[in-house]
Amino acid sequence: MGIKENIEAIKERISNAARRAGRDPEEITLLAASKTRAPQEIREAFNCGIKVFGENRVQEAREKIPALSDLPIEWHMIGHLQTNKVKYAVKMFTLIHSVDSENLIEELEKRAKKEEKIQEVLIEVKLSPEETKHGCKEDEVPFLVEKILEKENLKLLGFMTIPPYVENREEVRPYFAKLREIKEAMERKFGRRFPHLSMGMTHDFEVAIEEGATIVRIGTAIFGPRNY
């Protein structure tokens, strides 16, 4: 199957998962994770109706995004962001999914102010025990929410997590449910709505949707195995 058929199949699966959860499929954004993908593959996916693409590495995005500047793509940063790359990230990305420290918040605010931009962000929460995963600890979330809400040039839209990879998708359901609970607790605490939960990838996005995901980050199921 090609990219077009893959996207149609994923959209159908998103719709079915949303309906099982009594949700409107239109609430869910299909983000194409385009790490290692060539500009022509991204162009093809865009032509099949995908409007939001996520990059993991600033350096790769800096090479790729200019090659696709003729397309009205909404670019998201979905990988770990180092403070020394923030100046580039703020210029390129509409939404940064991976905010996980006070230092990063301060740097994003400084650079967004310089660009005269309101930078939209998500807080990445590390709920998985794996050492390789990034994100803040659960008990740091209220502090980081407060820090972002104090900033003039940052806008907090919600939360992101990456659960451990396990064969049985049902085993990751508690991680997605936990992030939803964190979001709801922060909405009560701060008296405002944080509309987005970025969670779920190729292997487990249907479970994520059933637990409230509003953005699913799909790479392999759209483009096939990664090109390294």
Side-chain angles (χ1 to χ4, degrees), residues 52-198:
V52 182
F53 290 80
E55 283 289 319
N56 285 67
R57 298 196 179 96
V58 168
Q59 194 53 47
E60 189 182 331
R62 287 180 73 198
E63 292 160 15
K64 204 181 283 182
I65 290 174
L68 295 156
S69 60
D70 57 311
L71 300 179
I73 287 173
E74 184 176 308
W75 291 99
H76 291 195
M77 175 65 184
I78 59 174
H80 179 61
L81 180 58
Q82 295 164 304
T83 48
N84 64 344
K85 299 284 197 317
V86 166
K87 59 186 173 193
Y88 307 115
V90 166
K91 289 183 171 131
M92 292 188 292
F93 299 109
T94 303
L95 179 60
I96 294 169
H97 292 225
S98 47
V99 175
D100 61 0
S101 71
E102 186 180 5
N103 284 350
L104 192 53
I105 291 166
E106 296 299 338
E107 189 63 24
L108 281 163
E109 171 70 5
K110 185 174 91 179
R111 293 295 176 176
K113 197 162 269 177
K114 200 170 180 185
E115 292 293 320
E116 299 181 348
K117 174 187 181 179
I118 303 295
Q119 178 65 61
E120 296 177 340
V121 298
L122 304 177
I123 291 173
E124 181 175 5
V125 188
K126 183 179 186 290
L127 299 173
S128 161
E130 292 167 294
E131 286 300 313
T132 52
K133 296 278 194 289
H134 293 285
C136 70
K137 296 192 180 93
E138 185 185 342
D139 61 7
E140 296 170 327
V141 172
F143 172 76
L144 295 182
V145 171
E146 198 167 339
K147 282 286 157 203
I148 294 170
L149 294 181
E150 287 169 0
K151 305 300 183 201
E152 288 176 17
N153 289 75
L154 300 182
K155 185 176 184 184
L156 180 61
L157 294 187
F159 304 90
M160 185 263 255
T161 198
I162 303 172
Y165 182 90
V166 288
E167 281 305 316
N168 178 4
R169 293 178 301 191
E170 279 304 314
E171 289 177 27
V172 297
R173 189 179 292 276
Y175 296 92
F176 298 141
K178 184 68 180 169
L179 193 68
R180 188 188 69 246
E181 286 162 16
I182 289 169
K183 172 183 110 80
E184 290 166 354
M186 293 304 102
E187 288 177 333
R188 288 193 298 274
K189 182 175 172 65
F190 292 97
R192 59 176 73 201
R193 195 165 164 267
F194 302 118
H196 285 302
L197 284 173
S198 169

